[in-house]
Amino acid sequence: MSAPTSSTETRELLTFATDLAHEAGALALGYYGVVVDHEAKGDGSPVTVADRQAEELIRERVTLRYPDHAILGEEYGESNEGARVRWIPDPIDTTRSFMRGVPLFGVLIGIEIGGESTVGVAHFPALDETVAAGSGLGCTWNERPCRVSPVTSMSEAVVCTTDVERVLGRPEGDGWRRLQQRASFSRTWGDCYGHALVATGRIEAQYDPIMKSWDAGPFLTIVTEAGGRFTTLQGEATVHGGSGVSTNGHLHEEVLRELTG
């Protein structure tokens, strides 16, 4: 059995992860706003030299400081599999936005201790925004405490998803339409930024039908510590379930019922 996690360990990892996300973000900004060469990965998604260099930087820094920690990354797979502490970085989430000069891309870092999501950092370099949290330590937005929205009525809620057409083509498409009709309004402030918007109280719900572990990595900790809920479409609180629903908590069950009903 692994040793229990202390607040001191959590705080130390949170501080280091935040600093590391800023360092990787500064590297990415060196390529932002210019034409970036890219290639298609096996799933058809693009990858750039900036993605690879940013993940290499994160891996080098973590390995130097914590050589016994595991790292599960988008570009280079997993190292030290089975370690008590596992880092889950996404060096540039929303690479397509990054390549187009859209500022909603993020550097994401999640950390699990003993299999439990414990630290989450979502840094948005082009916006100079950072949302960060550690279990039991609360959630901050640019170093100030933040909370989810207090809205309890769907008619007052803002609901978001990354790609409406992708959702409409799935079994939950009709449910998404119902949510749109019932909500105050909906937008596509999607991918990682949508989940950060939930945690900072600016929207009430974000749904992503397809999320890899590194896409979701920080958000279970971030949204939970901000007072909300992050689950899969099936209601499981994990970053490894293949989908992601962030809400302010008050509306979570209602959102899941509509999407799956």
Side-chain angles (χ1 to χ4, degrees):
M1 180 180 295
S2 62
T5 306
S6 68
S7 60
T8 300
E9 181 183 24
T10 301
R11 197 178 301 277
E12 176 188 301
L13 289 169
L14 175 58
T15 298
F16 184 57
T18 302
D19 291 344
L20 195 49
H22 279 83
E23 187 176 359
L27 185 156
L29 279 180
Y31 292 95
Y32 178 67
V34 299
V35 176
V36 181
D37 290 336
H38 69 280
E39 59 188 68
K41 294 188 287 190
D43 63 0
S45 61
V47 59
T48 70
V49 64
D51 293 90
R52 292 195 171 113
Q53 288 186 1
E55 184 167 323
E56 287 167 359
L57 183 153
I58 292 170
R59 285 177 175 272
E60 288 171 2
R61 298 289 191 271
V62 172
T63 300
L64 182 63
R65 183 157 176 172
Y66 301 109
D68 58 334
H69 287 191
I71 305 172
L72 172 63
E74 179 172 12
E75 309 305 337
Y76 296 107
E78 185 163 10
S79 63
N80 282 353
E81 188 172 355
R84 173 176 173 268
V85 180
R86 179 164 69 166
W87 294 66
I88 308 176
D90 189 345
I92 300 178
D93 189 70
T94 319
T95 297
R96 288 186 174 91
S97 294
F98 172 78
M99 290 166 54
R100 290 279 184 163
V102 176
L104 303 185
F105 69 94
V107 179
L108 308 182
I109 298 177
I111 302 176
E112 295 177 332
I113 301 180
E116 299 292 327
S117 293
T118 304
V119 168
V121 178
H123 174 54
F124 304 93
L127 301 174
D128 196 24
E129 289 187 40
T130 305
V131 184
S135 294
L137 302 178
C139 186
T140 62
W141 176 21
N142 288 349
E143 300 185 347
R144 296 185 176 183
C146 63
R147 297 288 293 176
V148 295
S149 156
V151 166
T152 58
S153 170
M154 190 64 70
S155 64
E156 298 176 12
V158 180
V159 298
C160 294
T161 192
T162 299
D163 186 335
V164 171
E165 292 305 314
R166 176 175 291 186
V167 174
L168 293 179
R170 295 175 58 85
E172 62 270 23
D174 289 343
W176 175 256
R177 279 297 190 211
R178 290 193 296 270
L179 277 179
Q180 285 185 302
Q181 292 163 2
R182 295 183 56 207
S184 175
F185 64 93
S186 68
R187 290 292 185 269
T188 53
W189 298 320
D191 292 309
C192 55
Y193 197 59
H195 297 281
L197 289 173
V198 172
T200 53
R202 291 176 281 177
I203 67 174
E204 281 66 50
Q206 161 74 12
Y207 173 51
D208 275 312
I210 301 174
M211 293 189 87
K212 302 289 181 62
S213 298
W214 39 81
D215 301 319
F219 292 116
L220 177 53
T221 305
I222 283 174
V223 177
T224 301
E225 288 295 315
R229 288 182 65 189
F230 177 92
T231 71
T232 64
L233 182 60
Q234 292 72 37
E236 186 180 3
T238 177
V239 302
H240 305 296
S243 61
V245 181
S246 288
T247 75
N248 67 348
H250 302 295
L251 300 174
H252 201 84
E253 294 300 329
E254 192 171 354
V255 169
L256 292 183
R257 280 197 303 271
E258 286 288 21
L259 288 173
T260 59

